[in-house]
Amino acid sequence: MGLVRVSSKDFKDMPRPLLDQAPPAMNLPPGWDEIVPEIGVTDTDHVITKRQWDAFHATDLDQQLRRRGITTIVLCGIASGIGVDTTARSLRPRVSGDFRDRRHDRLQ
């Protein structure tokens, strides 16, 4: 299984969008970036740390999926209208022509 989490040591590597007003201070508790134990992460799981909205941007997620021959993924998360949506939209140009052709053949 592949798991994606958000993390940063000092937030200097995180996006800084231009805003009308300053965002509130981020007072995050210790362990805020850990995957909850209920998920049951194992030694064979691949955990990816992202620092942008898109889980593919500046991570090895695409490479790891391709190396493992994974062609189906399930996206879910806390900020589904931001991070999950951005990741899903970034998949469109990544899908190979072969995959699109096979899917199209099944629909006919």
Side-chain angles (χ1 to χ4, degrees), residues 80-96:
S80 59
I82 301 172
V84 175
D85 179 66
T86 303
T87 300
R89 284 185 286 115
S90 79
L91 280 168
R92 180 70 176 153
R94 295 173 191 279
V95 176
S96 71

Side-chain angles (χ1 to χ4, degrees), residues 70-81:
I70 296 170
T71 59
T72 302
I73 63 172
V74 175
L75 298 173
C76 60
I78 296 171
S80 59

